[in-house]
Amino acid sequence: MFDLLVKPSPAQKSFLEAVRAGMENYFATDRRRIDHALQVCRYARDLLTYIEADTVLTLTAAYLHDIGIHEAERKHGSSAGNWQELEGPPVAMALLSQLGAEDDLIEKVAEIVGNHHTPGAVDSPEFRILWDADALVNFAGGFATKTDGQIEAILHRHMVTEAGFRMARKRFLADQERQER
Ligand SMILES: [Fe+2]
C-alpha cells in the first residue's frame, strides 16, 4: 500500500515515547483522558499514512492536545474548549521544554493545542490531522440515534481531510458498503 508516513528516527521515537509518558504522568489517575489521547494518537498515525505531514509534530500534538483540561477545570470550573485552548499551551510548553524539545517544535505544538477547538484556526496538515483524529474518537458513541443520512451530513460539515472523512464513513455508517457500490 502507498504509505506517506515518514517513520520517526530512533531519537524521535524515544522523544515521542517521553512525550507519551509525560502526558500520562501529568494526567496521573485520569485514565479517561489518557485513553482519549492515546486513541487520538493512533488515528493521527493512521492519517499520516495518507497525508503528508510532520510525524513528530503531529503525534506530539495528538498526545498533548487536551493537556489543558485539568487547569481549565481547576481555574475556570469548566472543560469548555475555549478554556482548554487558553490553559493547554503553557502546560504543553513546560512539558516539552523539560524534555529538551526544540523551540520551533514547542511553538508549533502550542499553536495547535491553543487552537484545537477552533475550526480551521491553523492552516497546516498537522492541525487538520489532529482535528479529524479527535473527531474520529469523539464521534464514537454519539451517532447511535442518528440515521446514516444525518451522520453523513455531520461528517461532511466537520471532517477536514479526505482520508479522515473516508475513515469516519467506514467507521460510522452502517450501510457504508452498500453506498459505495
Ligand atoms: Fe481531544
Side-chain angles (χ1 to χ4, degrees), residues 42-134:
R42 242 169 270 140
Y43 275 118
R45 200 181 182 289
D46 287 347
L47 289 171
L48 280 167
T49 66
Y50 300 102
I51 301 160
E52 218 172 339
D54 184 316
T55 304
V56 173
L57 172 58
T58 304
L59 299 181
T60 302
Y63 281 131
L64 300 181
H65 73 283
D66 280 342
I67 205 76
I69 208 159
H70 281 182
E71 282 299 275
E73 286 167 344
R74 194 177 66 82
K75 289 193 195 163
H76 311 283
S78 160
S79 61
N82 59 316
W83 298 128
Q84 282 194 51
E85 288 188 347
L86 183 72
E87 301 299 338
V91 181
M93 289 168 92
L95 196 150
L96 290 174
S97 51
Q98 253 176 34
L99 298 177
E102 284 173 20
D103 289 349
D104 182 56
L105 178 70
I106 297 177
E107 258 168 53
K108 285 178 175 161
V109 171
E111 188 187 24
I112 295 176
V113 172
N115 287 283
H116 81 278
H117 280 279
T118 307
V122 184
D123 184 19
S124 73
E126 294 82 7
F127 183 83
R128 284 191 287 277
I129 289 174
L130 172 69
W131 184 268
D132 279 4
D134 206 15

Side-chain angles (χ1 to χ4, degrees), residues 134-145:
D134 206 15
L136 276 153
V137 178
N138 288 335
F139 281 147
F143 285 154
T145 58

Side-chain angles (χ1 to χ4, degrees), residues 148 169-170 173-181:
D148 271 6
R169 281 186 96 242
K170 214 171 185 175
L173 293 186
D175 56 351
Q176 190 259 351
E177 274 182 30
R178 188 154 33 97
Q179 291 180 11
E180 296 263 291
R181 251 176 255 146

